[in-house]
Amino acid sequence: MIGEIILKEIKLKIFDLRFIISTLIVLLLVIFSVIVLSEKYQKEVDDYQIALQNDKEKMEAMVVYSFLEPNLRYPPNPLSIFNTGISDRINKTVAIKYNSVPRQNPEIISENPLLKIYSHFDLITVFRLVLSLLAIILIYDSFSGEKEAGTLKLMLSNGVKRSHILVAKLTSNTIILIIPVIFSFLISLVIITGIYGVAFPGIQWIRIGLIILYTIVFLSFFIALGLLVSSMTVNSSVSLILLTSLWVMLCVIQPNLGSYIASTVINMPSNETLETAYKENWNEFSKKQQEILEQINRKIPSGIQNGNMGTYGDEYKFVVFDGSTPLLMKYLYRVLEIEPLRHEYAEKEWDIYRQMYLPSLEKQHQVQNYIDYLSPAALFQSVTASIAQTDVTHYDQFLNSARTYRSTLMHYLKNDKKLFSENAHEYFTNLSKEEIENSQYEARQRANTTHGYFNTPPLDLSGLPVFSFQQDFLSGIFTRVFINFFLLLVYIVTLSMLAAARMKKYDVR
Amino acid sequence: MMIRMLINKEISGVLHSFRFQILIVLTMLVFLIAGLFHVNSYHIRHEGDNLDLNKQALEIQEHATSLNRLATLKQHMVRKAKAGDVISLNGEKGLPDLIFYNAFVLGESGYKSEHRSHLFANNDLSNYKLNQITQFDWAFIAGVILSFFILVLTYDAFSGEKQAGTLKLQCAFPVSRMSLFIAKYLAFLLIITSVFILGIILNLITIKLASGFQAEIPSPLQIGGIMITYMIYFSFFILLGLWFSSKAGEPATSLAYSLFTWLILVFFLPSAMAMLAEKIHPIPSSFEHNQQSSATSGQVFDNAPPKAQSYGPPSSFGGKVYPHMELRKKAIDEMTTVMNEFNIKGFNDMYSQVKLGADLGKISPFVIIRSISERIAGNGLEDFYQDFNRVVIHRSMLLEFIEERDREDPESFHFVNSWHPETYSSAPVEADEIPIIEDADPKLGSALKDSVLDVGILIFFNLLVLVGAWSGFLRYDVR
């Protein structure tokens, strides 16, 4: 019997002009969005490749270790076409520096920051708004309409169980909605892979499958909601008004509340406080540095300090291509005594960030997540972001592996390369240890054969640790997404139960 | 007379309907929440601005002890929180808060940033872990939520009456169709405008109360400007609703179509057009831009006479004058000019791209009303553009001031340039004589003048839907 009702419902609705036209509108919007988003992704990939190439060239031309500043780049993710997630507002390049530990950097790095005045936009947003509206338009009169037409009476008097009618309506409408969902995804995937040639590795297909599944679950929430409202109202126009108002609340207003409330309830330390703390930290360092410099000046052998040298940006990026012994010795002592101290203070700066700033970031995030549990649309957005790996957690993993890489690199430089002990000269010059102690700079100067940038060979960096971003495998998703997924199911079941309870009370007369 | 009666009937009909009661409760709720959130965010922004301004004033005072230090001090212009932010904040929130410059160059000088965006920064550290959200400003509440409610109110204006049979009755009486149409239109316009006014009042009261009468609110003139322009905006959606209502046979179908139209106009087009603009008006990437800029400015320097390219301290020449400094200063100045031109070009590239997106978006009335709101509120893209130009002017004023003071100093070598502070004056200056950036006073008149075209397009859209709605209604078969 259920089967028959389901078939009847599907036949009735699928050839409905309203449904067909709405589906066509949805598909048109999806096609347009996919094209625009794919173009954007393509550009991102191109920029990424160029950046990698530049990084490589920079590393190959590196003449001394003080210039070493590997850039780690957050790889572009094709699934960001589906859910942009966090990727629009993060710094995707992390520079590994001697004087700072990687963290999210508020510097504006987007190619055109002014474009941010437009709200972000991706396929999930289109689905969230358009398909949910379609769901409401499909379902609003499923009971109230039949009540008005008198067919509900007929069905009930023919001995059809009320619960069967409910289950049949839920199933049939979900099945009907699957059609635009599947078509949207199919068209998107055809455009993305066919026209733009984006290749998804195997595991990404599972992610796409999960996104499709979750989209369907999200839409069945609206079907359950529609059934409940429709069973509560006698008049289908009242049911329509109620549902559209609820839709505005759920899809347009509520998703914003989490972030709003979180940032209102929990205060973050101001930029100023943080910067003052950083400044104090580095002032302390400068004081110590000054003392050490004075000691060094007393230690170095007397003589003229001159040579071919330079600095590049930060003060620790110094190089001496060639020079007199006193000059070389001065820099050697600096590397031995000041640079390790600098690394220490970099760690201290990170501690300040971790203790003063990070907890309130986390707390705000948590509060937002709790509030978002109440909002199906926000859940939809965050769960699909988790599945697509464009969420905060994934980016934090990237930052974590960047920090791990930095400590591996520092460990390598300190203990394997002995860059701050025995081989300290390699930090700033290409000259050998013996030459530093007994430099022939003056002689070379007379012969006009001093070393400079152009006759200094680049470093051999083959032993350098390689960064690898350990991405979370699929299993990681389930633990993260499970609660949210489960919660949405609970909402759907609750709504259906309420609708069933209403149905029971329905008086056939 | 007849029209007045009809209007009265319509109004009381709407006021007593269930849907109107839901809508008014929801609207008021949103205005209330918006007021509460505004107080908090305004407070945070306002405090941040003050901290920034104080810090800058202190730095200027410190550096005023010597002219050459002052010249190379990195200054920033702070884009302050404004009373108008309650009108429209969504555009403003996306824009940077600080614009950097010193007396010689725009942006941050030096190697520090490889990015074109080194011109700007944000002064508030927003939490990257939080969702990006829509600000509940008036432009959003009225532009998105109220327009939605208008469609929900009007979708069965004709088709509903047809179903109920009342339309037949009315048409049977000696009432012209025109007056029937006008009555409906005016009734809806009156109701929605009153809801909007009520909402604004509630919003402003909330802000005043929640901030302990501290927060500034927009001036009556601004509010008046908003009222008039929003009435035109509401009118568009009323006519749109009436059009769909007169076209479709079944009320639900007319609602379905009008809601999809609304989705496209309000959500889809604004972002889609911005992305389209990015596509059809590509700008050189930061990398290309910087390469070009440094190559060109480098060439300028390389083309300078060889004497200009070497630099020695005065001591090696008997401490009299820097050798060939005149030539060198000229080369440095030319180079700085080229770099500034590139910085301005970089900014104009960014601006024109976004502007194109905004202009393309004007096929949607929502984008139009948003841009009008920003003009009236005195923030957003156009205001940012003007601020940038004010920074450009202030930079040259600053340089003029430095040069003038340098001429007065007898001990100076008088080579004001961006590279060698030792070649010009290091005499102290009075901190309060240094030219400062004046706050631009928002002029509502000029805001409205700039919005004339926007209002014109909005009226044109109104006429378009009016023709549709009117002809649809005339052809409406009452049987």
Side-chain angles (χ1 to χ4, degrees):
Chain A
M1 195 61 210
I2 291 191
E4 274 176 44
I5 305 177
I6 293 179
L7 268 180
K8 175 212 118 196
E9 283 276 323
I10 293 179
K11 270 188 202 156
L12 204 68
K13 289 215 167 134
I14 220 164
F15 298 112
D16 184 14
L17 191 66
R18 207 190 308 160
F19 174 73
I20 295 171
I21 290 185
S22 310
T23 308
L24 285 178
I25 294 175
V26 172
L27 291 182
L28 277 178
L29 288 184
V30 167
I31 290 173
F32 183 86
S33 318
V34 167
I35 292 176
V36 174
L37 288 161
S38 306
E39 292 272 350
K40 199 177 151 204
Y41 171 72
Q42 203 85 51
K43 189 165 178 292
E44 219 174 289
V45 172
D46 291 346
D47 289 349
Y48 177 71
Q49 297 297 354
I50 293 172
L52 284 188
Q53 190 58 38
N54 289 336
D55 288 350
K56 208 178 144 208
E57 280 166 16
K58 225 169 100 186
M59 286 295 258
E60 277 166 2
M62 198 77 67
V63 285
V64 286
Y65 276 99
S66 75
F67 287 180
L68 189 67
E69 191 182 297
N71 279 328
L72 310 183
R73 304 206 181 248
Y74 192 52
N77 179 352
L79 290 182
S80 67
I81 295 174
F82 290 98
N83 191 327
T84 317
I86 193 177
S87 45
D88 270 354
R89 62 207 137 101
I90 46 167
N91 198 337
K92 288 180 187 155
T93 305
V94 171
I96 302 294
K97 293 180 167 197
Y98 288 113
N99 71 342
S100 84
V101 178
R103 55 184 173 265
Q104 158 66 7
N105 168 354
E107 210 175 290
I108 300 172
I109 38 81
S110 103
E111 280 295 335
N112 188 351
L114 307 190
L115 270 175
K116 269 196 142 183
I117 63 173
Y118 299 101
S119 50
H120 93 141
F121 174 79
D122 49 28
L123 275 183
I124 290 296
T125 315
V126 175
F127 292 160
R128 188 190 82 200
L129 293 170
V130 183
L131 288 177
S132 57
L133 199 61
L134 182 60
I136 280 175
I137 287 165
L138 267 183
I139 198 80
Y140 80 99
D141 62 347
S142 52
F143 286 124
S144 43
E146 293 215 32
K147 276 184 214 167
E148 283 172 338
T151 45
L152 191 61
K153 264 182 205 174
L154 266 175
M155 262 202 282
L156 289 175
S157 56
N158 272 332
V160 181
K161 271 196 176 170
R162 290 169 193 227
S163 55
H164 284 185
I165 298 180
L166 192 82
V167 172
K169 294 240 176 207
L170 195 63
T171 332
S172 60
N173 282 302
T174 309
I175 292 172
I176 293 166
L177 267 182
I178 288 178
I179 298 169
V181 172
I182 296 289
F183 266 115
S184 305
F185 274 98
L186 268 182
I187 289 181
S188 317
L189 289 171
V190 164
I191 293 175
I192 296 169
T193 56
I195 299 180
Y196 290 94
V198 178
F200 291 109
I203 206 148
Q204 301 281 55
W205 286 104
I206 304 177
R207 290 179 194 283
I208 294 171
L210 281 174
I211 293 177
I212 296 176
L213 183 71
Y214 201 81
T215 310
I216 293 166
V217 174
F218 169 69
L219 292 175
S220 53
F221 170 85
F222 281 90
I223 292 173
L225 183 75
L227 284 177
L228 174 64
V229 172
S230 176
S231 69
M232 281 165 69
T233 49
V234 197
N235 190 327
S236 51
S237 94
V238 173
S239 146
L240 185 57
I241 304 289
L242 267 176
L243 279 172
T244 42
S245 309
L246 277 172
W247 178 83
V248 168
M249 285 297 285
L250 291 172
C251 286
V252 180
I253 298 173
Q254 206 186 10
N256 294 309
L257 290 183
S259 168
Y260 248 135
I261 295 174
S263 51
T264 309
V265 175
I266 290 164
N267 285 328
M268 279 211 294
S270 69
N271 194 0
E272 209 58 33
T273 349
L274 199 63
E275 270 183 8
T276 318
Y278 288 165
K279 224 184 204 169
E280 269 170 26
N281 181 49
W282 289 108
N283 279 347
E284 206 181 295
F285 167 76
S286 308
K287 237 184 248 164
K288 284 193 185 169
Q289 186 187 25
Q290 206 52 47
E291 282 167 25
I292 298 172
L293 277 177
E294 277 164 24
Q295 284 170 18
I296 290 176
N297 280 339
R298 268 178 259 136
K299 264 194 284 190
I300 50 172
S302 54
I304 305 167
Q305 294 179 19
N306 64 0
N308 299 341
M309 53 169 298
T311 53
Y312 180 86
D314 303 282
E315 56 171 354
Y316 61 84
K317 287 183 184 165
F318 46 79
V319 55
V320 183
F321 298 108
D322 204 345
S324 62
T325 298
L327 182 82
L328 288 163
M329 286 305 277
K330 186 173 98 180
Y331 279 103
L332 189 70
Y333 282 129
R334 279 179 70 164
V335 176
L336 285 171
E337 290 170 31
I338 294 175
E339 291 314 309
L341 194 69
R342 190 190 306 280
H343 307 152
E344 223 173 88
Y345 275 83
E347 295 286 340
K348 277 189 185 168
E349 189 191 60
W350 162 243
D351 281 340
I352 293 172
Y353 179 84
R354 206 171 47 179
Q355 282 158 13
M356 271 181 61
Y357 191 61
L358 208 52
S360 43
L361 286 190
E362 300 280 0
K363 233 190 243 165
Q364 281 194 340
H365 187 216
Q366 229 160 33
V367 170
Q368 176 198 263
N369 285 350
Y370 285 140
I371 295 166
D372 281 354
Y373 282 152
L374 298 173
S375 163
L379 280 183
F380 179 52
Q381 205 89 33
S382 71
V383 170
T384 44
S386 291
I387 297 173
Q389 294 193 320
T390 52
D391 60 336
V392 178
T393 321
H394 191 254
Y395 181 65
D396 282 345
Q397 277 172 15
F398 173 71
L399 289 181
N400 269 333
S401 32
R403 282 189 282 269
T404 316
Y405 175 69
R406 183 177 179 271
S407 50
T408 317
L409 183 70
M410 293 303 277
H411 186 269
Y412 165 80
L413 292 177
K414 265 178 200 156
N415 299 347
D416 299 346
K417 264 318 229 190
K418 307 216 185 303
L419 197 60
F420 301 101
S421 43
E422 283 144 48
N423 298 330
H425 58 284
E426 286 186 28
Y427 183 79
F428 67 98
T429 184
N430 194 41
L431 302 174
S432 67
K433 254 193 226 172
E434 291 73 42
E435 263 185 300
I436 289 179
E437 277 159 26
N438 190 11
S439 172
Q440 303 299 317
Y441 179 63
E442 277 86 10
R444 277 199 293 273
Q445 215 174 13
R446 277 191 295 275
N448 222 350
T449 56
T450 53
H451 302 301
Y453 179 78
F454 293 104
N455 53 12
T456 302
L459 283 175
D460 173 26
L461 292 173
S462 51
L464 217 63
V466 180
F467 173 68
S468 74
F469 177 19
Q470 287 304 323
Q471 303 208 21
D472 202 359
F473 285 112
L474 210 55
S475 63
I477 298 177
F478 288 114
T479 48
R480 256 186 288 144
V481 169
F482 184 73
I483 305 174
N484 296 5
F485 197 83
F486 180 70
L487 212 62
L488 200 58
L489 282 180
V490 168
Y491 287 151
I492 293 170
V493 171
T494 318
L495 287 174
S496 316
M497 303 259 275
L498 285 173
R502 280 296 310 183
M503 280 282 289
K504 280 234 169 77
K505 280 195 208 146
Y506 175 66
D507 192 354
V508 193
R509 274 167 303 173
Chain B
M1 255 338 259
M2 199 58 203
I3 285 195
R4 248 186 51 208
M5 270 170 62
L6 281 172
I7 293 177
N8 279 342
K9 178 219 132 203
E10 289 293 334
I11 290 182
S12 68
V14 172
L15 289 186
H16 288 103
S17 66
F18 169 64
R19 67 181 96 157
F20 178 73
Q21 285 149 13
I22 295 185
L23 300 188
I24 191 144
V25 170
L26 274 181
T27 314
M28 293 303 141
L29 197 70
V30 177
F31 267 114
L32 184 80
I33 297 173
L36 290 175
F37 286 138
H38 174 77
V39 171
N40 184 59
S41 81
Y42 183 79
H43 178 73
I44 291 175
R45 288 190 57 183
H46 194 63
E47 241 175 36
D49 294 346
N50 282 343
L51 278 173
D52 262 317
L53 288 172
N54 290 342
K55 196 173 122 195
Q56 167 130 313
L58 262 178
E59 273 176 354
I60 290 180
Q61 221 156 37
E62 265 173 39
H63 286 73
T65 49
S66 70
L67 196 66
N68 48 14
R69 281 185 71 211
L70 180 72
T72 47
L73 168 68
K74 180 174 126 189
Q75 300 202 23
H76 51 251
M77 174 184 191
V78 182
R79 282 177 56 71
K80 290 185 212 157
K82 289 178 179 145
D85 287 350
V86 68
I87 298 174
S88 122
L89 191 58
N90 274 311
E92 181 63 28
K93 266 276 173 178
L95 293 169
D97 308 311
L98 306 173
I99 307 174
F100 293 121
Y101 62 103
N102 66 25
F104 298 106
V105 283
L106 298 163
E108 278 187 76
S109 48
Y111 299 103
K112 202 185 158 212
S113 180
E114 295 176 357
H115 226 274
R116 171 172 41 196
S117 330
H118 68 111
L119 291 167
F120 321 118
N122 284 324
N123 68 348
D124 60 335
L125 297 172
S126 57
N127 187 348
Y128 72 98
K129 295 184 182 223
L130 292 187
N131 295 337
Q132 217 171 11
I133 51 167
T134 310
Q135 301 293 325
F136 289 177
D137 50 21
W138 295 356
F140 174 77
I141 303 176
V144 176
I145 297 179
L146 276 181
S147 60
F148 180 85
F149 287 164
I150 290 174
L151 295 180
V152 173
L153 278 180
T154 52
Y155 81 97
D156 60 352
F158 296 127
S159 43
E161 288 215 42
K162 190 186 173 190
Q163 274 191 334
T166 45
L167 195 62
K168 245 185 214 175
L169 265 176
Q170 274 178 8
C171 288
F173 277 103
V175 180
S176 70
R177 282 199 176 206
M178 172 125 78
S179 42
L180 209 64
F181 185 86
I182 292 173
K184 275 194 192 290
Y185 168 75
L186 284 181
F188 283 123
L189 193 59
L190 268 175
I191 289 172
I192 287 296
T193 313
S194 337
V195 170
F196 185 48
I197 293 174
L198 271 180
I200 285 180
I201 293 172
L202 179 71
N203 187 254
L204 293 179
I205 292 176
T206 319
I207 290 172
K208 276 288 178 196
L209 287 182
S211 66
F213 296 91
Q214 297 286 310
E216 281 179 72
I217 57 169
S219 69
L221 268 176
Q222 279 175 313
I223 298 178
I226 287 288
M227 285 295 161
I228 293 165
T229 43
Y230 273 77
M231 269 172 82
I232 306 175
Y233 178 71
F234 294 147
S235 146
F236 170 82
F237 277 94
I238 293 171
L239 290 170
L240 190 73
L242 292 179
W243 185 9
F244 279 114
S245 178
S246 69
K247 272 277 174 225
E250 215 187 320
T253 314
S254 90
L255 184 60
Y257 294 155
S258 55
L259 289 190
F260 275 114
T261 314
W262 171 84
L263 260 183
I264 293 171
L265 291 181
V266 166
F267 280 104
F268 189 75
L269 283 179
S271 307
M273 288 301 134
M275 293 172 91
L276 198 65
E278 224 178 330
K279 175 80 193 110
I280 57 181
H281 181 29
I283 57 176
S285 71
S286 293
F287 182 72
E288 287 163 359
H289 175 87
N290 287 335
Q291 243 180 3
Q292 240 182 6
S293 145
S294 55
T296 317
S297 57
Q299 212 171 23
V300 168
F301 195 72
D302 288 344
N303 287 345
K307 281 177 186 167
Q309 293 178 27
S310 59
Y311 175 70
S315 54
S316 52
F317 291 85
K320 271 190 275 171
V321 200
Y322 286 83
H324 320 302
M325 193 53 206
E326 207 141 341
L327 286 174
R328 189 172 172 82
K329 174 184 150 54
K330 214 177 133 212
I332 294 171
D333 283 354
E334 271 170 19
M335 218 175 136
T336 324
T337 314
V338 168
M339 270 164 67
N340 277 335
E341 275 165 9
F342 264 97
N343 276 327
I344 294 174
K345 180 184 166 290
F347 174 78
N348 284 336
D349 278 347
M350 291 190 249
Y351 169 74
S352 59
Q353 193 181 49
V354 183
K355 180 81 177 130
L356 178 67
D359 286 344
L360 286 177
K362 282 185 181 155
I363 50 174
S364 153
F366 175 61
V367 176
I368 299 177
I369 201 71
R370 206 177 114 169
S371 107
I372 295 176
S373 310
E374 282 180 354
R375 283 222 170 88
I376 293 179
N379 61 23
L381 183 65
E382 292 302 322
D383 185 56
F384 189 80
Y385 180 71
Q386 281 167 15
D387 269 359
F388 182 81
N389 286 324
R390 278 167 57 210
V391 166
V392 172
I393 292 167
H394 186 238
R395 185 202 66 78
S396 50
M397 271 167 62
L398 211 61
L399 187 60
E400 264 170 41
F401 170 79
I402 304 270
E403 279 172 344
E404 195 188 289
R405 283 307 150 98
D406 176 70
R407 277 195 289 275
E408 290 167 9
D409 182 11
E411 282 170 31
S412 162
F413 292 107
H414 304 303
F415 295 122
V416 178
N417 70 87
S418 58
W419 284 13
H420 308 298
E422 62 276 20
T423 59
Y424 59 99
S425 172
S426 59
V429 280
E430 287 291 322
D432 45 348
E433 283 173 16
I434 302 166
I436 49 163
I437 252 186
E438 305 273 341
D439 273 347
D441 48 331
K443 287 198 189 79
L444 193 69
S446 68
L448 288 179
K449 211 169 73 190
D450 292 336
S451 306
V452 165
L453 186 64
D454 284 350
V455 174
I457 304 174
L458 207 52
I459 292 175
F460 172 71
F461 281 143
N462 263 289
L463 292 178
L464 225 56
V465 278
L466 174 68
V467 171
W470 177 237
S471 66
F473 180 59
L474 277 189
R475 265 188 268 134
Y476 201 79
D477 193 358
V478 195
R479 276 166 303 172

